[in-house]
Amino acid sequence: MAVNLHIPSQSDIHPVAGIEIGTAQAGIRKAGRKDLTVFRLAEGTSVAGVFTTNRFRAAPVQVCERHLAAGQGIRALVVNTGNANAGTGEPGMLAARQTCDALATLLGIRPEQVLPFSTGVILEPLPVDRITAALPAAVGDLQPGNWFDAAYGIMTTDTQPKIASQRITLGEHTVTITGISKGAGMIRPNMATMLGFLATDAGIAPGLLETLTREIAGRSFNRITVDGDTSTNDSFIIMASGASGVHVQNRDDPHFATLAQALGEAALELAQKIVRDAEGATKFITVQVDEAASSQEALKVAYAIAHSPLVKTAFYASDPNLGRILCAVGYAGIADLDVSGMRMWLGDTLVASNGGRDPGYTEEDGQRIMKESEITVRIALGRGSVSETVYTCDFSHEYVSINADYRS
């Protein structure tokens, strides 16, 4: 069951002018579910993306990168679930291109203006014939209000749809920001096994949007981890249609800071919802590292804690076996760490200081906090002024069951 994951009501999901969405059943892996999603973008929409760093990048990721680099103006996205089209060699590349060709023909655009996305089982051929056969139904379903259907349509082992939507005021204009994401396992930064699609009706200059997308991903989707596995298909896309009348050309624009902050907040909400709905998760855990000498150093410590199976299983059991956290800090890779200057808090309780257990800490305090569904671990390294935060979850029996039975 997802951990305190808020699903907004239909009335709170705001359509984005210039963006239409359609879904259909292609029968890619399971019959009777919508597993194909199409986005149609108004002409002039700026699009930027961040993708996995896994060297086994899936065919659709490679095609997306090439089509974005071509600079032809992206007009459509196509997303399938049930099959990742990864580890499929040249036939997989051909299948991804055939999908783009088919959708381009239906929409009257060029194949280079289509971005394909796939998620699901790796090392299996993409059933491209089923996808192309279902594309007319998805195109026929195109409408601005289909965000909920799309959120369900891109799910794999997710148990809940992940949607964020808000409206902000920029000068005399109302600007809409709406997005969806998917992901529950094989989640680790750079990026995690996830798809994220964020849209706004503000206009953002293409070069600025590319930089902003990388920055936003760095503070959101690249700050989550479930199991430490970096996927082959991770993709995060921001689309800016400009239909609101607001057009931001550079960082000096008076609307840039407010718009960037709102987009970042939406992306962080979507990223955190992935962790809240992680496979088998029962607890949402925030790991905050303060007083580090650098961002790299802070993240080393945060991920050492967040990736530790011993730490994660202790959280699942509500067992304040907090020496496991200190152990992870110790092997994080900071060779000159002076542990006597480090402090650790569990929730609001100081657990460790001066190189050992704090005199004021009690086992009862630890047990009380460990039973909560949302827990914060804070480490102060005493080495500088840099802080970084990572979001993770516990490991449960269900995580093993889900992944053992994934292809069944």
Side-chain angles (χ1 to χ4, degrees):
M1 179 178 292
V3 183
N4 301 331
L5 192 158
H6 171 65
I7 303 176
S9 65
Q10 184 72 55
S11 61
D12 291 329
I13 305 300
H14 308 298
V16 178
I19 309 292
E20 297 173 288
I21 305 171
T23 61
Q25 296 182 17
I28 295 168
R29 185 164 183 81
K30 296 180 180 179
R33 65 155 294 181
K34 292 182 177 179
D35 53 7
L36 184 65
T37 302
V38 169
F39 289 76
R40 179 164 61 187
L41 317 182
E43 189 171 2
T45 298
S46 298
V47 179
V50 176
F51 302 93
T52 181
T53 58
N54 191 310
R55 291 299 300 162
F56 240 112
R57 298 190 328 284
V61 168
Q62 297 180 58
V63 172
C64 279
E65 290 173 331
R66 293 175 187 178
H67 286 187
L68 282 168
Q72 298 297 307
I74 302 303
R75 296 293 310 281
L77 318 180
V78 55
V79 190
N80 76 266
T81 60
N83 184 299
N85 193 13
T88 49
E90 186 55 35
M93 293 293 292
L94 177 60
R97 290 193 293 265
Q98 287 176 331
T99 302
C100 294
D101 291 345
L103 182 56
T105 298
L106 289 170
L107 297 181
I109 59 178
R110 294 185 296 278
E112 295 79 13
Q113 295 179 294
V114 179
L115 299 182
F117 304 87
S118 298
T119 183
V121 178
I122 297 171
L123 211 65
E124 293 187 2
L126 183 73
V128 66
D129 292 345
R130 298 179 201 172
I131 293 173
T132 55
L135 279 174
V139 170
D141 187 48
L142 285 168
Q143 52 185 298
N146 272 345
W147 284 95
F148 248 124
D149 285 351
Y152 278 102
I154 66 173
M155 289 167 55
T156 49
T157 58
D158 310 62
T159 69
Q160 302 288 345
K162 300 162 183 68
I163 313 174
S165 188
Q166 62 174 302
R167 282 179 171 156
I168 61 174
T169 300
L170 297 178
E172 299 178 352
H173 299 273
T174 297
V175 168
T176 299
I177 297 170
T178 298
I180 59 175
S181 64
K182 65 80 49 181
M186 203 182 284
I187 301 292
R188 181 183 178 175
N190 300 317
M191 292 168 58
T193 204
M194 48 139 291
L195 299 177
F197 304 101
L198 188 60
T200 180
D201 54 8
I204 304 175
L208 179 61
L209 183 61
E210 289 179 15
T211 302
L212 184 60
T213 300
R214 289 193 296 270
E215 292 174 353
I216 288 174
R219 297 191 300 267
S220 57
F221 293 106
N222 277 339
R223 290 294 180 268
I224 61 174
T225 182
V226 170
D227 45 24
D229 280 334
T230 299
S231 173
T232 55
N233 291 62
D234 313 326
S235 305
F236 170 51
I237 300 294
I238 298 183
M239 302 162 273
S241 72
S244 68
V246 172
H247 295 277
V248 176
Q249 298 299 318
N250 54 57
R251 292 177 180 271
D252 295 328
D253 188 288
H255 298 317
F256 172 78
T258 302
L259 179 59
Q261 179 179 347
L263 286 168
E265 289 172 352
L268 181 58
E269 179 181 347
L270 292 172
Q272 290 181 347
K273 284 182 174 180
I274 288 175
V275 175
R276 293 184 183 279
D277 193 30
E279 291 170 345
T282 69
K283 295 178 182 176
F284 178 86
I285 302 162
T286 299
V287 181
Q288 180 179 327
V289 178
D290 299 328
E291 299 180 9
S294 66
S295 176
Q296 181 183 25
E297 182 175 281
L299 289 173
K300 277 184 178 181
V301 172
Y303 285 124
I305 297 168
H307 288 155
S308 168
L310 291 177
V311 171
K312 293 161 82 69
T313 50
F315 276 112
Y316 172 63
S318 299
D319 177 16
N321 191 351
L322 303 180
R324 293 179 174 183
I325 298 177
L326 291 182
C327 179
V329 174
Y331 65 62
I334 304 176
D336 60 344
L337 177 64
D338 179 3
V339 297
S340 67
M342 192 200 83
R343 289 154 290 149
M344 180 178 81
W345 288 261
L346 186 67
D348 57 358
T349 298
L350 181 62
V351 173
S353 61
N354 299 318
R357 178 171 174 153
D358 188 79
Y361 171 72
T362 66
E363 183 82 358
E364 290 74 21
D365 286 334
Q367 289 176 338
R368 170 180 56 82
I369 297 168
M370 290 291 276
K371 290 178 180 178
E372 297 175 0
S373 60
E374 301 204 22
I375 303 169
T376 297
V377 175
R378 185 161 68 91
I379 306 291
L381 296 178
R383 294 168 56 85
S385 59
V386 178
S387 297
E388 290 288 356
T389 303
V390 167
Y391 306 94
T392 190
C393 61
D394 57 342
F395 265 166
S396 69
H397 301 290
E398 189 179 358
Y399 176 86
V400 177
S401 298
I402 289 170
N403 284 281
D405 299 336
Y406 180 60
R407 300 205 309 158
S408 302

